[in-house]
């Protein structure tokens, strides 16, 4: 893909609601037979829709999802961000949609699996932003311990907006839509249903769950576009039979939603702090040395990219004013333009033509900067004596 490519569409081509048909499970004894055959899926054609995807926003979403480690850090963000360049090598953009080069199928399995996972997580993130979820946390960072010595399947993310807390599993596939939907169903049953009755920190429970499957359609001759499949279910109080889990005890709706929103919002900024290399030892210096609150504090890591044969770098940043507010115990509301846009807004730099800002609803920025190419060197052949 190239800067300036047409804004693409990615179709949410299949939306299914899952009703678990087996015996009701409990938090203490989850049902071991969470299989597709033991569940009922209802298709919702009215929910089928598309979202707009721009190259710069997709790169920025890959940087923000940073799925390279169970704990997000400067290093894991850089490692994941560098995978973006490989993913984008195989993507093309048109007004009709994203397409994947058929040569993607020639990659080794371990490479294509990493690429599809990275792309699937970024598209799932953009999809949740489109649906109004401004705040994101990695599930394992805010889930209460199970007390079990055995590792249990967990979803990737927790998303929050006022009145709603959603657990989300992203499944990347290199196949077609039917296989992407099957992957989403399995992901929902194994990694969403199993945590519906598991509390997050503060004895807060999610209200719904989503599992996304990404169909790359890479084996196609080029006519098919990237599509998404979604499986979802409600975990509302009293709906235990419908969701396949015993309805957990919860606080009244308003208190529950505000508590969940604050929990995810705090984790969202804790993750950003780690991406920016901020900690208790240096944040005071950052605040005292900044010229103004609109100054952007940038991550020490710049992620190198090659776009249309030219060098670019991607850097994550956060306004100093937002950092100052967080240090005072105030967590800001969503960035109005990005929240209204239901996703990141792409703003070209006014003072620097080679700089593009991608602004997210949580006030984070990803800066894409076109770098000056380094001088080339000619290596002359020599003979060994």
């Amino acid at each position: 893909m190239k800067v300036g490519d047409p804004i693409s569409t990615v179709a949410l081509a299949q939306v299914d609601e899952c009703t678990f048909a087996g015996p009701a499970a409990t938090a203490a004894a989850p049902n071991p037979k969470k299989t597709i055959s033991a569940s009922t899926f209802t298709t919702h054609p009215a929910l089928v829709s598309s979202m707009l995807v721009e190259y710069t926003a997709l790169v920025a979403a890959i940087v923000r999802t940073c799925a390279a480690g169970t704990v997000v850090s400067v290093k894991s963000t850089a490692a994941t961000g560098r995978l973006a360049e490989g993913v984008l090598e195989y993507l093309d953009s048109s007004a009709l949609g994203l397409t994947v080069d058929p040569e993607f199928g020639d990659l080794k399995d371990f490479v294509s699996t990493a690429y599809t996972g990275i792309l699937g997580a970024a598209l799932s993130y953009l999809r949740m932003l489109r649906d109004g979820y401004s705040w994101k946390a990695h599930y394992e960072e805010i889930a209460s311990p199970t007390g079990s010595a055995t590792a249990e399947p967990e979803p990737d993310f927790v998303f929050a907006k006022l009145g709603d807390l959603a657990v989300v599993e992203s499944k990347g596939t290199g196949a077609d839509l039917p296989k992407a939907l099957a992957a989403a169903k399995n992901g929902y049953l194994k990694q969403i249903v199993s945590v519906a009755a598991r509390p997050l920190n503060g004895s807060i429970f999610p209200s719904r769950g989503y599992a996304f499957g990404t169909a790359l359609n890479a084996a196609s001759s080029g006519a098919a576009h990237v599509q998404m499949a979604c499986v979802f279910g409600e975990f509302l109080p009293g709906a235990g039979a419908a969701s396949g889990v015993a309805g957990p005890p919860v606080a009244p709706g308003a208190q529950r939603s505000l508590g969940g929103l604050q929990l995810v919002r705090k984790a969202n900024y804790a993750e950003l702090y780690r991406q920016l290399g901020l900690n208790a030892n240096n944040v005071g210096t950052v605040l005292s040395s900044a010229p103004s609150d609109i100054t952007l504090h940038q991550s020490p890591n710049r992620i190198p990219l090659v776009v249309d044969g030219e060098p670019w770098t991607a850097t994550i940043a956060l306004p100093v004013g937002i950092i100052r507010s967080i240090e005072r115990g105030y967590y800001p509301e969503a960035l109005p333009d990005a929240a209204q846009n239901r996703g990141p807004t792409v703003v070209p730099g006014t003072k620097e033509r080679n700089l593009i800002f991608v602004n997210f609803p949580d006030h984070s920025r990803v800066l894409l900067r076109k770098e000056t190419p380094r001088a080339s060197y000619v290596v002359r052949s020599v003979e060994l004596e």
Side-chain angles (χ1 to χ4, degrees):
M1 294 180 71
K2 306 174 183 178
V3 172
D5 272 356
I7 295 178
S8 302
T9 60
V10 174
L12 187 60
Q14 181 79 38
V15 181
D16 280 12
E17 180 178 5
C18 175
T19 301
F20 185 57
T26 66
N31 194 306
K33 297 182 179 179
K34 296 188 288 289
T35 62
I36 291 178
S37 60
S39 309
T40 300
F41 297 90
T42 305
T43 301
H44 290 260
L47 296 180
V48 174
S49 60
S50 299
M51 67 175 177
L52 300 179
V53 175
E54 190 170 351
Y55 166 81
T56 47
L58 181 59
V59 174
I62 290 173
V63 175
R64 284 292 287 115
T65 48
C66 56
T70 56
V71 176
V72 177
S73 64
V74 171
K75 185 173 292 187
S76 71
T77 302
T80 303
R82 291 188 181 100
L83 289 173
E85 184 179 343
V87 174
L88 296 167
E89 280 288 328
Y90 292 91
L91 288 180
D92 285 312
S93 179
S94 72
L96 297 176
L98 294 177
T99 57
V100 178
D101 192 312
E103 289 188 11
F104 186 88
D106 298 333
L107 291 171
K108 288 287 190 180
D109 287 347
F110 67 90
V111 178
S112 61
T113 297
Y115 283 173
T116 53
I118 292 294
L119 179 61
L123 289 176
S124 297
Y125 180 40
L126 293 175
R127 188 77 215 183
M128 295 302 288
L129 291 180
R130 182 188 182 278
D131 290 344
Y133 293 86
S134 297
W135 314 98
K136 169 186 70 68
H138 285 256
Y139 180 84
E140 61 272 10
E141 295 188 352
I142 62 171
S144 297
T146 62
S148 172
T150 303
E152 298 180 4
E154 295 178 340
D156 293 317
F157 305 109
V158 182
F159 283 84
K161 62 181 177 180
L162 187 60
D164 198 0
L165 196 65
V167 287
V168 175
E169 171 64 18
S170 170
K171 293 291 185 186
T173 75
D176 52 19
L177 184 62
K179 291 182 179 178
L181 179 60
K185 289 179 177 180
N186 279 315
Y188 184 88
L189 294 170
K190 294 178 180 179
Q191 287 155 285
I192 299 296
V193 170
S194 59
V195 302
R198 177 180 171 184
L200 303 173
N201 293 340
S203 298
I204 296 169
F205 292 83
S207 51
R208 67 182 65 193
Y210 295 85
F212 293 100
T214 305
L216 301 187
N217 298 311
S220 170
S221 60
H225 298 93
V226 172
Q227 299 171 302
M228 296 183 73
C230 172
V231 175
F232 78 97
E234 302 283 350
F235 306 147
L236 297 176
S243 65
V245 298
V250 295
Q255 181 180 346
R256 176 195 191 198
S257 63
L258 288 174
L261 179 65
Q262 188 72 341
L263 173 69
V264 176
R265 188 155 49 185
K266 285 183 176 181
N268 186 105
Y269 285 113
E271 173 188 314
L272 275 170
Y273 265 43
R274 292 193 297 274
Q275 288 181 299
L276 294 167
L278 287 174
N279 54 56
N281 295 325
N282 64 14
V283 68
T285 302
V286 169
L287 294 177
S288 62
S289 61
S292 71
D293 280 358
I294 64 172
T295 301
L296 291 177
H297 176 70
Q298 300 181 35
S299 167
N301 249 328
R302 293 190 175 185
I303 300 167
L305 299 169
V306 176
V307 180
D308 196 18
E310 297 179 321
W312 288 69
T313 56
T315 310
I316 196 163
L318 193 64
V320 168
I322 299 298
I323 299 172
R324 196 181 308 278
S325 295
I326 293 170
E327 290 302 304
R328 292 172 177 169
Y330 171 72
Y331 291 85
E333 300 300 322
L335 184 67
D337 288 347
Q340 184 177 1
N341 191 52
R342 294 299 179 99
T345 57
V346 180
V347 183
T350 55
K351 296 181 179 179
E352 291 187 59
R353 294 183 178 180
N354 292 337
L355 185 63
I356 300 174
F357 297 84
V358 184
N359 306 330
F360 286 86
D362 63 357
H363 296 265
S364 66
R365 313 286 201 267
V366 172
L367 312 184
L368 291 172
R369 187 188 305 273
K370 186 178 180 180
E371 302 292 345
T372 302
R374 296 180 179 179
S376 59
Y377 296 91
V378 177
V379 179
R380 300 184 183 278
S381 61
V382 296
E383 293 183 1
L384 297 177
E385 293 182 358

